[in-house]
Amino acid sequence: GDLSVDLNHDARTANVSLTVENTGKRDEREVVQVYVKNLDSPLAPRNWRLAGFQPVELTAGENKTLTLPVDPDAFKVYDENGEQIVDGNRFEIYAGISQPDARSAELLGFPPESMTIEF
């Protein structure tokens, strides 16, 4: 929960912050994942792109706030010549312990947090 994104508009970079809580009765280790989907570019892949991850260990009942840098290349696409370019300003950011698809949400019982950002 508590998803927030700190953008640097000039550098086109982002840091994603969120709170992760272990609601179980055992200590756990999870991998928090951040995905990005370009909402503007016709060159962008249809699906989201893994743009950062961080393992976290939580004791039973513990919560931690994490900040993950987003790979700046996640905000770029490849053109017809195979060159990486900036194309698009609106992106969906997903953060959680799974990829943002319906099957993962069904298995976990909840989808990843998401937010639309704009450079």
Side-chain angles (χ1 to χ4, degrees):
D2 299 327
L3 177 67
S4 66
V5 181
D6 180 30
L7 296 176
N8 179 326
H9 290 272
D10 295 331
R12 288 183 65 93
T13 60
N15 288 309
V16 173
S17 296
L18 73 154
T19 302
V20 182
E21 181 177 8
N22 179 354
T23 59
K25 297 181 183 188
R26 300 183 323 189
D27 297 352
E28 294 287 339
R29 183 173 194 269
E30 267 303 344
V31 177
V32 176
Q33 304 162 39
V34 174
Y35 291 86
V36 172
K37 180 173 177 57
N38 187 320
L39 300 176
D40 289 339
S41 176
L43 300 171
R46 276 188 322 177
N47 293 327
W48 51 91
R49 175 181 178 176
L50 180 64
F53 62 92
Q54 180 177 333
V56 60
E57 293 187 22
L58 298 166
T59 59
E62 180 182 17
N63 67 54
K64 288 183 182 177
T65 299
L66 304 175
T67 300
L68 292 82
V70 176
D71 181 351
D73 288 344
F75 300 117
K76 297 178 182 177
V77 296
Y78 288 92
D79 68 12
E80 298 83 6
N81 299 317
E83 300 294 323
Q84 205 170 33
I85 62 168
V86 172
D87 188 37
N89 291 317
R90 290 182 323 112
F91 299 85
E92 191 75 17
I93 302 282
Y94 304 91
I97 57 171
S98 69
Q99 63 183 356
D101 65 0
R103 182 69 176 143
S104 295
E106 180 183 335
L107 290 171
L108 287 171
F110 56 89
E113 298 281 322
S114 67
M115 173 183 286
T116 301
I117 61 155
E118 189 166 344
F119 283 105

